[in-house]
Amino acid sequence: SSQMKSHPQWWQDATTALLQFCTGYMLYDSINFFIIGRWVPGVGPVLEPSDYSFLGHHVATSFYMMSSLYIGAGHMSAM
């Protein structure tokens, strides 16, 4: 996709807000699922084998969205 700065300001603002919201949700979902949902008192979080791909998806998606914000491009594929 083209550089974010080539779009109107309202588009840049909406895109930035959406990418920030989605990144925040990924962090919230990871904390809620892995820390709260899988917590065993006295042991800590106990993960199942399928949890690693779920966590990997959250990390990769968050990294991609933050990278799109940082470089100012790639936002179209993230939306």
Side-chain angles (χ1 to χ4, degrees):
S1 65
S2 61
Q3 291 286 320
M4 197 181 316
K5 64 183 176 185
S6 68
H7 297 287
Q9 188 60 46
W10 67 268
W11 179 262
Q12 294 177 47
D13 294 342
T15 301
T16 299
L18 182 62
L19 290 173
Q20 289 175 346
F21 176 80
C22 291
T23 302
Y25 177 77
M26 287 291 176
L27 293 172
Y28 159 79
D29 194 40
S30 295
I31 291 169
N32 188 45
F33 183 79
F34 292 107
I35 305 299
I36 297 170
R38 299 287 190 199
W39 190 264
V40 176
V43 178
V46 177
L47 302 178
E48 297 178 3
S50 63
D51 293 342
Y52 294 103
S53 62
F54 187 78
L55 181 59
H57 157 75
H58 278 60
V59 170
T61 303
S62 297
F63 178 76
Y64 182 76
M65 289 186 289
M66 289 186 291
S67 297
S68 294
L69 284 172
Y70 180 73
I71 64 172
H75 56 283
M76 294 299 289
S77 61
M79 299 179 12

